[in-house]
Amino acid sequence: MSTGPGADSAPAPKNPAHPGGPGSPGNPGNSGIPVSGPAPGVTAGRTRGGTFRSLRIRNYRLFATGAMISNTGTWMSRIAQDWLVLSLTGSSTAVGITTALQFLPMLLFGLYGGVIADRCPRRRLLLFTQTALGLCGLALATLTLSGHVQVWHVYLIAFLLGMVTVVDNPTRQVFVNEMVGPKDLRNAVSLNSANFQSARLIGPAVAGVLITAVGSGWAFLINGVSFGAPIVGLLLMRTSELHKVERAPRGKGQLREGLRYVAGNPELIWPIVLVGFIGTFGFNFPIWLSAFADDVFHAGPGTYGLLNTLIAIGSVTGALLAARRVVARRRLLVGAALMFGVLEMVAAATPYFWLFAALMVPIGIFSLTFNVTANSSVQLATDPAMRGRVMSLFMMVFVGGTPIGGPLVGWLTDTCGARIGFAAGGLISAAAAAAVGLILVRAGGLRLKLDLRRGHPHVIFVPRTPEAEEKSLAATA
């Protein structure tokens, strides 16, 4: 599966941001400020089955196994692509342009991909998209191994990959619901992230060895072949065991309908806004890590692969921790985003390679904690018939912002240095987290309260007015 992690026809969980629900202005709820309650059939606390409970489902096991293999190939290709462009041009801006071209289609056409995902059989769509992604990998391998590759070839194939991803990304994410149902959705989303990041542990390391030993072309070849695994997995699935879904009928105005749905739901719009800022300015690791490896620490592709592997270790840890949670909270969403930005600024300032490398682990933990919390909470708060369009908007602002942020961050990194570029991304991420956090607190009718008594939470959110506090206490009594 090419990029990132993963509807049942049952009603969506009650939206806490809707009037009358906990967390709405009229009913602030408890101080934990949950983003969404447990999915239907899931009780609060630790659920039966543990961290890997979704793997008990045969169709999901096939999906996860195929994804693990192709994700490893994808990470090998990503590292090889970045290093190939840097070798051909010597420019971080060119690396940024490549990344931008890969994600530009999501920015331009992302919502159309969501409409297609809501209308069409998702398993068939995935068979088409995975085949197309594999062919793109084989084409780049052929050009590179033959010695004819030029930078415009890489640009073109990156753009074609992006076009396929427009449909592939939202389809994969909502197809998870068809495999596991709403009860295990949060767990499956977390395991998808752990799967993707586990491949990140293997792919960059293998890519670093291959690039040093025989060149980038073999990494592209392995990536192209690896897409055979998810295709086989999809063909072996038992369609009778997939959860029935409500498909959106063909009709005019479906894009506008999806946008109005998100805009009218604070529980969806503000997490998506925060995802947009961090995806645009905070997740430009190909640019920063290649620049740090080459310009700051004067190392080679092996070091670049090592830095990516360390981020992956943290990301896997963050994803597995998220898989154990049942209820996500706004304070976790905002807090993880804030810490992610702060740690990026600290890493940008450190003069020591060992400390810079060590900081990649907690950066990975907080980045995945934020991403999984935002992804699963938005899916669970969305009506099943709207999930394709909502998740396409989610992915559009997350990866579609890269065509804006990539060239800007690449230019800043080339002009002012890798440290300034990395610090700027962290500063924008932290500032966005703080701003969205304040907006959510005010929208929930809450205020910050400090309690220094021993044995009590020191920082909590409480209703802003005494009347609201009395209502909240009465509701929880």
Side-chain angles (χ1 to χ4, degrees), residues 376-387:
S376 59
S377 299
V378 167
Q379 285 208 57
L380 285 171
T382 303
D383 185 270
M386 300 289 293
R387 279 200 181 113

Side-chain angles (χ1 to χ4, degrees), residues 153-236:
H153 294 142
V154 185
Y155 288 166
L156 175 61
I157 291 175
F159 183 78
L160 293 176
L161 286 169
M163 289 297 294
V164 179
T165 301
V166 165
V167 177
D168 183 74
N169 247 329
T171 305
R172 272 187 300 109
Q173 293 191 52
V174 296
F175 186 61
V176 173
N177 253 306
E178 293 191 31
M179 290 183 288
V180 303
K183 178 177 68 173
D184 289 321
L185 174 63
R186 194 186 304 277
N187 177 260
V189 169
S190 300
L191 292 183
N192 282 352
S193 294
N195 184 323
F196 187 67
Q197 299 302 328
S198 295
R200 193 176 186 179
L201 290 172
I202 304 168
V206 176
V209 173
L210 281 176
I211 294 169
T212 302
V214 294
S216 301
W218 290 98
F220 298 137
L221 178 62
I222 293 173
N223 175 49
V225 173
S226 73
F227 283 96
I231 292 171
V232 170
L234 288 165
L235 291 172
L236 291 176

Side-chain angles (χ1 to χ4, degrees), residues 250-269:
R250 293 181 178 272
K252 295 183 178 180
Q254 289 182 319
L255 288 180
R256 291 191 298 272
E257 181 187 11
L259 291 172
R260 284 196 301 268
Y261 179 78
V262 172
N265 190 336
E267 189 181 28
L268 298 178
I269 185 63

Side-chain angles (χ1 to χ4, degrees), residues 59 62-63 66 123 127 228-238:
N59 283 343
L62 290 169
F63 179 86
R123 180 171 161 273
L127 285 169
I231 292 171
V232 170
L234 288 165
L235 291 172
L236 291 176
M237 285 185 182
R238 296 170 183 162

Side-chain angles (χ1 to χ4, degrees), residues 62 86 146 153 156 187 229 232 324 330 332 334 337 414 452:
L62 290 169
L86 195 63
S146 66
H153 294 142
L156 175 61
N187 177 260
V232 170
R324 300 185 66 83
R330 288 177 186 163
L332 176 64
V334 174
D414 277 340
L452 301 180

